[in-house]
Every structure is written in structure tokens, then in C-alpha cells.
Amino acid sequence: MSGPGSYADALQGRLDGSGLRIAILCARFHEEITGALLERCTTTLEAHGVEGESIRVLRVPGAWELPQAAGRLAGLERYDAIVAIGCVIRGETPHFDFVAGEAARGLTDVSLAYDVPVILGVLTTETEQQALDRARQDGQDKGRELALAALEMGLLFRELT
């Protein structure tokens, strides 16, 4: 379970996303949760100056498919950051461990191979309620945090070129 505080609490100043191009991959599995994360992510990006047409949203079946799609997007060299949204809720089998671990590893591999920030937005929770609490705007608002991380990293990578 997440601890107190939030990534967003540590930010200083305003992140101006004007001119950034952001791709968001969103898993359809656990649609209520991933849809809430996606909505908060896009709303936050737009509130920070990323134009609507500079945000590309693509759907994938589930968290397992996120690294494959992220790799294809990164290879296009069109985006300043890629946000990967998914949700894996623990069940009665070790399937959770395989999907969550490989999704995280695969997204890390993409970010290192293509030199583009890939933001890991795969919720891994014990229960559906924990996931909902993290996804809601009146909860932990992880969708907002994903957008802020994409903005910060996209701007950083531009500065380092």
C-alpha cells in the first residue's frame, strides 16, 4: 500500500507542457479504474499547457501488452514521454506477480532502449477498492501524478538534448 504523501507534493514551481507531445497507453482491463486514471492524466496535462492534439491516447487489452505498445511508440520518435496506464489486482494465483513484474520490467526496458521517458502507471493492489482509492480524484489521484511525472521528465529530457 502507498505511504503518506505523494510525488506531486514534492513538485516545485509550475510545469509548462506547451509544445510537449505525450502518448498515453491505457489498458482496457479494469476499465473503471484505468478510465479514471486516464481522465485525470489527460485533464492534468491539458491544465499544464499540453494541447489536446498533442496527447495521443491508445488502448491495449491489459497491462501485459503495455510494454509491446510502448516499444512501438518509442520507436516512432514522435513523443516526449509515454504514460503506461494499467491495473493488476491480486487474485488467488501467481498470475498477478508475472503480469505486474513483467509489465514493469518491459516498460523499463523500453525507456532505456529508446531514451524516452516511460511513466509506469500500472497500479498493483491487493483489492479492487485499493485500486479505486488510488484512481479517484478525491482519493490518491494517481492519474494526476502520472501526468506530472510525464511533464517533468519530458521537460528534463528536452533540456538535456
Side-chain angles (χ1 to χ4, degrees):
M1 188 155 160
S2 291
S6 142
Y7 159 79
D9 295 339
L11 287 175
Q12 298 177 353
R14 174 163 161 65
L15 295 174
D16 182 1
S18 302
L20 288 181
R21 296 158 303 157
I22 309 290
I24 304 172
L25 295 167
C26 185
R28 288 190 304 272
F29 203 78
H30 296 299
E31 181 86 37
E32 179 182 5
I33 296 158
T34 61
L37 292 166
L38 173 62
E39 189 277 324
R40 288 299 297 148
C41 185
T42 56
T43 299
T44 301
L45 290 171
E46 290 172 349
H48 286 270
V50 181
E51 298 291 329
E53 61 273 3
S54 295
I55 302 170
R56 182 166 186 195
V57 176
L58 298 158
R59 299 289 185 147
V60 299
W64 182 262
E65 290 78 21
L66 288 168
Q68 300 162 47
R72 181 62 64 117
L73 279 173
L76 297 175
E77 298 182 1
R78 293 183 192 156
Y79 301 100
D80 297 294
I82 299 168
V83 179
I85 296 174
C87 179
V88 185
I89 300 171
R90 188 175 299 280
E92 298 175 1
T93 69
H95 182 75
F96 170 93
D97 299 310
F98 297 121
V99 173
E102 290 303 310
R105 184 197 56 78
L107 292 168
T108 298
D109 288 350
V110 170
S111 69
L112 296 173
Y114 290 97
D115 197 35
V116 63
V118 178
I119 309 305
L120 175 62
V122 179
L123 296 182
T124 54
T125 63
E126 297 293 324
T127 67
E128 184 175 357
Q129 187 59 53
Q130 288 175 343
L132 288 168
D133 290 344
R134 286 162 177 74
R136 289 194 327 258
Q137 180 177 358
D138 63 347
Q140 294 179 22
D141 203 358
K142 295 298 182 185
R144 177 176 179 269
E145 289 185 24
L146 297 172
L148 295 174
L151 288 165
E152 185 173 358
M153 292 301 292
L155 292 168
L156 176 65
F157 273 47
R158 276 200 172 173
E159 183 180 323
L160 296 175
T161 16

